[in-house]
């Protein structure tokens, strides 16, 4: 659960940049934490690592509903996650280092391929190994 201060700052961000739902900002923070644990980092993860963490957490939390959730949040491509990250950085919610570039988030992966076709393939594989 995020702090009241976090939600206040997100409301400020949304007033300036209304493209994304506030839940998207909360999810990115959750994905950052998830990614830090995944890569065993106390602090910084790269943009590419964060995109991988976002992918894994989206599939874990939302499964076949991932694309619908992303659409609801106003997110249609990985670039949008870059915009959210840089909005959070601008308001000092997260820090970036000199290596971090917006371009890292451009065309990271295709949502339909990852969250629709990829999810279906993973589910089919899992079902094959299950015993009924």
């Amino acid at each position: 659960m995020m702090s009241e201060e976090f939600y206040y700052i997100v409301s400020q961000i949304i007033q300036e940049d209304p493209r994304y739902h506030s839940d998207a900002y909360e999810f990115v923070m959750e994905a950052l934490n998830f990614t830090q644990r995944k890569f065993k980092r106390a602090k910084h993860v790269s943009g590419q690592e964060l995109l991988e963490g976002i992918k894994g957490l989206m599939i874990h939390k939302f499964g076949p509903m991932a694309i619908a959730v992303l659409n609801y949040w106003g997110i249609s491509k990985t670039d949008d996650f870059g915009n959210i990250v840089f909005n959070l950085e601008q308001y000092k919610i997260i820090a970036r280092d000199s290596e971090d570039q917006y371009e890292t988030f451009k065309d990271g992966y295709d949502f339909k391929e990852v969250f629709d076709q990829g999810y279906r393939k993973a589910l089919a594989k899992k079902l094959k190994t299950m015993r009924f």
Side-chain angles (χ1 to χ4, degrees):
M1 180 91 179
M2 302 290 150
S3 71
E4 282 185 44
E5 182 183 13
F6 172 79
Y7 293 112
Y8 174 75
I9 292 171
V10 167
S11 73
Q12 298 296 306
I13 293 170
I14 290 170
Q15 283 181 8
E16 284 185 34
D17 181 359
R19 292 178 290 176
Y20 310 111
H21 193 282
S22 61
D23 290 349
Y25 287 91
E26 187 173 353
F27 178 80
V28 166
M29 293 302 295
E30 188 180 348
L32 179 60
N33 189 282
F34 174 85
T35 306
Q36 286 170 325
R37 287 194 314 269
K38 178 180 177 173
F39 289 102
K40 295 175 176 47
R41 304 260 175 72
K43 295 193 182 228
H44 188 264
V45 293
S46 71
Q48 199 61 45
E49 290 167 334
L50 181 56
L51 283 177
E52 285 303 306
I54 286 169
K55 182 192 324 180
L57 190 58
M58 280 302 299
I59 290 169
H60 176 74
K61 283 187 81 162
F62 301 107
M65 295 299 298
I67 290 178
V69 170
L70 289 166
N71 287 337
Y72 176 73
W73 289 345
I75 297 173
S76 61
K77 55 192 179 301
T78 57
D79 303 42
D80 293 320
F81 287 118
N83 293 328
I84 290 170
V85 164
F86 282 89
N87 282 345
L88 290 168
E89 184 270 330
Q90 185 179 349
Y91 277 81
K92 311 271 188 267
I93 298 289
I94 59 176
R96 68 179 179 142
D97 71 11
S98 58
E99 306 283 307
D100 294 333
Q101 302 292 323
Y102 171 77
E103 287 70 31
T104 305
F105 292 93
K106 288 186 77 57
D107 305 317
Y109 43 79
D110 179 81
F111 284 1
K112 188 160 181 61
E113 190 178 296
V114 168
F115 298 123
D116 186 28
Q117 297 155 346
Y119 179 80
R120 291 172 196 268
K121 285 179 193 170
L123 184 61
K125 190 176 178 181
K126 195 179 278 188
L127 287 172
K128 276 185 183 177
T129 63
M130 293 177 84
R131 293 177 181 222
F132 295 98

